[in-house]
Amino acid sequence: SVFLPLYQAYPSPIQRADAARYLLAHKHGGVYFDLDYECFAPLEPLVAGASLVLSYKEGSDFAKGASNSVFGSAPSHPLWAVVLDVLRNRSRTPLSGHTAVLFSTGPAVLREALRRLLRLRPGEQISAPMLTRLRETLGIAVLDSALLHPVTAERRDLSKASAEGERPLSAVCTHHFVSSWVAHNSSAHADTERRRREGHSHAALEGAGLSVLQENAW
């Protein structure tokens, strides 16, 4: 495969895991879920009539937008060819911390692919009519966050009872945001939360970021 050298050159396991899920979806199609998902109802009603399904996720900074933690696709959907182009464009991104992963292989890649399909100008935001156009022309459905991402990453530390209390009745699944690929640091998390409370619009992107693990006990 022409993509194999790029895949093998990624410096971290999570980047290879990100790239592999896109390649498998492109070749074979199917439904992908991160291991830290919990589902409460069948997915079939959500994917009916669509050839590719993504989930929107609320949150701050890289947490907000289309997510690569869950998706479904028919084989050879046109989105994946664009995703592979974005991966090539970003393949030399230095692994300076967890945000570099999000940018080079993570959800930011899917978001950039959607922007390229829509031919957006720099700074132009995706609107509801644009999502309708994606559905009508390419069969891409971007689901509301209430369905598959009812609790934001910023509130992942809620107790189980509190999380269930916040979960909308329409939720089909929820994401627990374990993020087993990073070395969690309580001081760094606390500092990010402080910046958010102070109104920093890009709190999670400031500072050194969390270290990326080279091995995963899972």
Side-chain angles (χ1 to χ4, degrees), residues 3 15 24 29 46 68 72 86 88 97 109 120 126 130 133-134 145 162 170 186 190 199 212-214:
F3 196 77
Q15 290 171 298
L24 288 168
L46 300 182
N68 72 337
V86 179
R88 292 187 190 98
V109 169
L120 297 188
I126 296 177
M130 292 176 188
R133 190 161 83 240
L134 286 175
S145 61
S162 297
S170 59
S186 58
V212 178
L213 296 176
Q214 294 302 314

mmCIF file of all heavy atoms in Angstrom, residues 3 15 24 29 46 68 72 86 88 97 109 120 126 130 133-134 145 162 170 186 190 199 212-214:
data_model
loop_
_atom_site.group_PDB
_atom_site.id
_atom_site.type_symbol
_atom_site.label_atom_id
_atom_site.label_comp_id
_atom_site.label_asym_id
_atom_site.label_seq_id
_atom_site.Cartn_x
_atom_site.Cartn_y
_atom_site.Cartn_z
ATOM 1 N N PHE A 3 0.110 3.892 1.330
ATOM 2 C CA PHE A 3 -0.086 4.554 2.615
ATOM 3 C C PHE A 3 0.736 3.912 3.723
ATOM 4 O O PHE A 3 0.917 4.517 4.781
ATOM 5 C CB PHE A 3 -1.571 4.513 2.982
ATOM 6 C CG PHE A 3 -1.957 5.477 4.075
ATOM 7 C CD1 PHE A 3 -2.100 6.833 3.808
ATOM 8 C CD2 PHE A 3 -2.173 5.030 5.361
ATOM 9 C CE1 PHE A 3 -2.442 7.715 4.811
ATOM 10 C CE2 PHE A 3 -2.516 5.905 6.365
ATOM 11 C CZ PHE A 3 -2.662 7.260 6.086
ATOM 12 N N GLN A 15 -1.752 7.448 16.967
ATOM 13 C CA GLN A 15 -1.827 7.958 15.597
ATOM 14 C C GLN A 15 -2.047 6.824 14.601
ATOM 15 O O GLN A 15 -2.812 6.965 13.643
ATOM 16 C CB GLN A 15 -0.560 8.743 15.256
ATOM 17 C CG GLN A 15 -0.457 10.072 16.001
ATOM 18 C CD GLN A 15 0.894 10.721 15.820
ATOM 19 O OE1 GLN A 15 1.916 10.154 16.227
ATOM 20 N NE2 GLN A 15 0.909 11.892 15.215
ATOM 21 N N LEU A 24 -9.667 1.282 7.314
ATOM 22 C CA LEU A 24 -10.602 0.161 7.346
ATOM 23 C C LEU A 24 -11.998 0.599 6.899
ATOM 24 O O LEU A 24 -12.687 -0.135 6.170
ATOM 25 C CB LEU A 24 -10.656 -0.437 8.752
ATOM 26 C CG LEU A 24 -9.419 -1.225 9.169
ATOM 27 C CD1 LEU A 24 -9.446 -1.528 10.667
ATOM 28 C CD2 LEU A 24 -9.306 -2.518 8.369
ATOM 29 N N GLY A 29 -15.883 -0.403 5.015
ATOM 30 C CA GLY A 29 -17.085 0.152 5.612
ATOM 31 C C GLY A 29 -17.319 -0.437 6.993
ATOM 32 O O GLY A 29 -16.496 -1.202 7.516
ATOM 33 N N LEU A 46 -30.635 5.633 13.481
ATOM 34 C CA LEU A 46 -29.780 6.790 13.242
ATOM 35 C C LEU A 46 -29.065 6.722 11.902
ATOM 36 O O LEU A 46 -28.719 7.760 11.327
ATOM 37 C CB LEU A 46 -28.737 6.924 14.355
ATOM 38 C CG LEU A 46 -29.248 7.099 15.775
ATOM 39 C CD1 LEU A 46 -28.069 7.267 16.720
ATOM 40 C CD2 LEU A 46 -30.178 8.294 15.874
ATOM 41 N N ASN A 68 -14.029 11.535 15.866
ATOM 42 C CA ASN A 68 -13.584 10.268 15.270
ATOM 43 C C ASN A 68 -13.711 9.106 16.254
ATOM 44 O O ASN A 68 -13.188 8.028 16.005
ATOM 45 C CB ASN A 68 -12.143 10.373 14.769
ATOM 46 C CG ASN A 68 -11.118 10.429 15.895
ATOM 47 O OD1 ASN A 68 -11.437 10.814 17.020
ATOM 48 N ND2 ASN A 68 -9.884 10.066 15.597
ATOM 49 N N GLY A 72 -19.998 5.623 11.260
ATOM 50 C CA GLY A 72 -20.386 4.494 10.422
ATOM 51 C C GLY A 72 -20.266 4.892 8.970
ATOM 52 O O GLY A 72 -20.490 6.058 8.615
ATOM 53 N N VAL A 86 -5.697 14.672 3.887
ATOM 54 C CA VAL A 86 -5.393 15.485 5.075
ATOM 55 C C VAL A 86 -4.304 14.810 5.910
ATOM 56 O O VAL A 86 -3.380 15.472 6.406
ATOM 57 C CB VAL A 86 -6.660 15.730 5.928
ATOM 58 C CG1 VAL A 86 -6.318 16.561 7.172
ATOM 59 C CG2 VAL A 86 -7.739 16.432 5.106
ATOM 60 N N ARG A 88 -1.913 12.901 4.849
ATOM 61 C CA ARG A 88 -0.637 13.129 4.163
ATOM 62 C C ARG A 88 -0.138 14.555 4.411
ATOM 63 O O ARG A 88 1.048 14.774 4.692
ATOM 64 C CB ARG A 88 -0.797 12.882 2.665
ATOM 65 C CG ARG A 88 -1.053 11.438 2.287
ATOM 66 C CD ARG A 88 -1.029 11.260 0.776
ATOM 67 N NE ARG A 88 -1.502 9.932 0.392
ATOM 68 C CZ ARG A 88 -2.742 9.666 -0.009
ATOM 69 N NH1 ARG A 88 -3.623 10.643 -0.086
ATOM 70 N NH2 ARG A 88 -3.090 8.433 -0.333
ATOM 71 N N GLY A 97 2.767 16.880 21.966
ATOM 72 C CA GLY A 97 1.808 16.668 23.038
ATOM 73 C C GLY A 97 0.499 16.170 22.463
ATOM 74 O O GLY A 97 0.393 15.905 21.251
ATOM 75 N N VAL A 109 -8.796 16.048 11.782
ATOM 76 C CA VAL A 109 -8.649 15.563 10.405
ATOM 77 C C VAL A 109 -10.025 15.406 9.756
ATOM 78 O O VAL A 109 -10.241 15.819 8.603
ATOM 79 C CB VAL A 109 -7.867 14.237 10.379
ATOM 80 C CG1 VAL A 109 -7.941 13.587 8.998
ATOM 81 C CG2 VAL A 109 -6.420 14.480 10.783
ATOM 82 N N LEU A 120 -14.811 25.344 1.925
ATOM 83 C CA LEU A 120 -14.930 26.519 2.781
ATOM 84 C C LEU A 120 -13.668 27.363 2.719
ATOM 85 O O LEU A 120 -12.554 26.856 2.590
ATOM 86 C CB LEU A 120 -15.177 26.101 4.235
ATOM 87 C CG LEU A 120 -16.467 25.329 4.521
ATOM 88 C CD1 LEU A 120 -16.653 25.172 6.020
ATOM 89 C CD2 LEU A 120 -17.674 26.007 3.903
ATOM 90 N N ILE A 126 -19.063 26.011 9.331
ATOM 91 C CA ILE A 126 -20.058 25.106 8.760
ATOM 92 C C ILE A 126 -21.429 25.467 9.313
ATOM 93 O O ILE A 126 -21.601 25.624 10.523
ATOM 94 C CB ILE A 126 -19.715 23.639 9.092
ATOM 95 C CG1 ILE A 126 -18.392 23.246 8.426
ATOM 96 C CG2 ILE A 126 -20.830 22.707 8.630
ATOM 97 C CD1 ILE A 126 -17.930 21.834 8.760
ATOM 98 N N MET A 130 -25.318 23.862 5.017
ATOM 99 C CA MET A 130 -24.189 23.099 4.476
ATOM 100 C C MET A 130 -24.307 21.624 4.854
ATOM 101 O O MET A 130 -24.014 20.732 4.040
ATOM 102 C CB MET A 130 -22.867 23.662 4.996
ATOM 103 C CG MET A 130 -22.536 25.043 4.484
ATOM 104 S SD MET A 130 -21.007 25.652 5.255
ATOM 105 C CE MET A 130 -20.995 27.351 4.656
ATOM 106 N N ARG A 133 -26.730 20.029 2.642
ATOM 107 C CA ARG A 133 -26.151 19.775 1.329
ATOM 108 C C ARG A 133 -25.292 18.507 1.341
ATOM 109 O O ARG A 133 -25.325 17.706 0.395
ATOM 110 C CB ARG A 133 -25.323 20.976 0.887
ATOM 111 C CG ARG A 133 -24.873 20.889 -0.568
ATOM 112 C CD ARG A 133 -24.465 22.230 -1.114
ATOM 113 N NE ARG A 133 -23.096 22.579 -0.764
ATOM 114 C CZ ARG A 133 -22.739 23.635 -0.063
ATOM 115 N NH1 ARG A 133 -23.664 24.465 0.401
ATOM 116 N NH2 ARG A 133 -21.461 23.885 0.177
ATOM 117 N N LEU A 134 -24.527 18.307 2.433
ATOM 118 C CA LEU A 134 -23.721 17.090 2.548
ATOM 119 C C LEU A 134 -24.609 15.846 2.558
ATOM 120 O O LEU A 134 -24.275 14.820 1.954
ATOM 121 C CB LEU A 134 -22.874 17.133 3.823
ATOM 122 C CG LEU A 134 -21.660 18.053 3.840
ATOM 123 C CD1 LEU A 134 -21.019 18.050 5.222
ATOM 124 C CD2 LEU A 134 -20.634 17.636 2.787
ATOM 125 N N SER A 145 -25.230 16.248 18.917
ATOM 126 C CA SER A 145 -24.446 15.736 20.045
ATOM 127 C C SER A 145 -25.306 15.021 21.083
ATOM 128 O O SER A 145 -24.812 14.151 21.805
ATOM 129 C CB SER A 145 -23.671 16.876 20.710
ATOM 130 O OG SER A 145 -24.565 17.857 21.202
ATOM 131 N N SER A 162 -24.988 11.656 38.444
ATOM 132 C CA SER A 162 -25.104 13.001 37.882
ATOM 133 C C SER A 162 -25.096 12.961 36.358
ATOM 134 O O SER A 162 -25.847 13.677 35.697
ATOM 135 C CB SER A 162 -23.957 13.886 38.379
ATOM 136 O OG SER A 162 -24.021 14.045 39.779
ATOM 137 N N SER A 170 -33.147 11.450 24.467
ATOM 138 C CA SER A 170 -32.876 11.032 23.090
ATOM 139 C C SER A 170 -31.542 10.310 22.923
ATOM 140 O O SER A 170 -31.263 9.746 21.864
ATOM 141 C CB SER A 170 -32.893 12.249 22.160
ATOM 142 O OG SER A 170 -31.921 13.191 22.572
ATOM 143 N N SER A 186 -3.082 15.484 36.802
ATOM 144 C CA SER A 186 -4.125 16.210 37.539
ATOM 145 C C SER A 186 -3.834 17.709 37.611
ATOM 146 O O SER A 186 -4.739 18.537 37.528
ATOM 147 C CB SER A 186 -4.284 15.637 38.949
ATOM 148 O OG SER A 186 -3.058 15.701 39.662
ATOM 149 N N ALA A 190 -6.283 20.541 36.101
ATOM 150 C CA ALA A 190 -6.772 21.610 36.980
ATOM 151 C C ALA A 190 -6.439 22.990 36.400
ATOM 152 O O ALA A 190 -7.247 23.925 36.467
ATOM 153 C CB ALA A 190 -6.165 21.460 38.372
ATOM 154 N N GLY A 199 -12.376 32.331 31.451
ATOM 155 C CA GLY A 199 -12.877 32.803 30.173
ATOM 156 C C GLY A 199 -11.953 32.649 28.995
ATOM 157 O O GLY A 199 -12.216 33.204 27.919
ATOM 158 N N VAL A 212 1.985 12.002 25.294
ATOM 159 C CA VAL A 212 1.356 10.893 24.568
ATOM 160 C C VAL A 212 2.070 9.594 24.925
ATOM 161 O O VAL A 212 3.295 9.501 24.848
ATOM 162 C CB VAL A 212 1.418 11.137 23.047
ATOM 163 C CG1 VAL A 212 0.802 9.974 22.284
ATOM 164 C CG2 VAL A 212 0.726 12.446 22.692
ATOM 165 N N LEU A 213 1.293 8.581 25.322
ATOM 166 C CA LEU A 213 1.874 7.303 25.725
ATOM 167 C C LEU A 213 2.398 6.515 24.522
ATOM 168 O O LEU A 213 1.805 6.522 23.456
ATOM 169 C CB LEU A 213 0.830 6.463 26.458
ATOM 170 C CG LEU A 213 0.321 7.047 27.798
ATOM 171 C CD1 LEU A 213 -0.776 6.147 28.363
ATOM 172 C CD2 LEU A 213 1.454 7.194 28.796
ATOM 173 N N GLN A 214 3.516 5.846 24.712
ATOM 174 C CA GLN A 214 4.082 4.997 23.666
ATOM 175 C C GLN A 214 3.652 3.540 23.823
ATOM 176 O O GLN A 214 3.892 2.724 22.937
ATOM 177 C CB GLN A 214 5.611 5.086 23.704
ATOM 178 C CG GLN A 214 6.133 6.464 23.347
ATOM 179 C CD GLN A 214 5.669 6.917 21.971
ATOM 180 O OE1 GLN A 214 5.737 6.155 21.017
ATOM 181 N NE2 GLN A 214 5.206 8.158 21.878
#
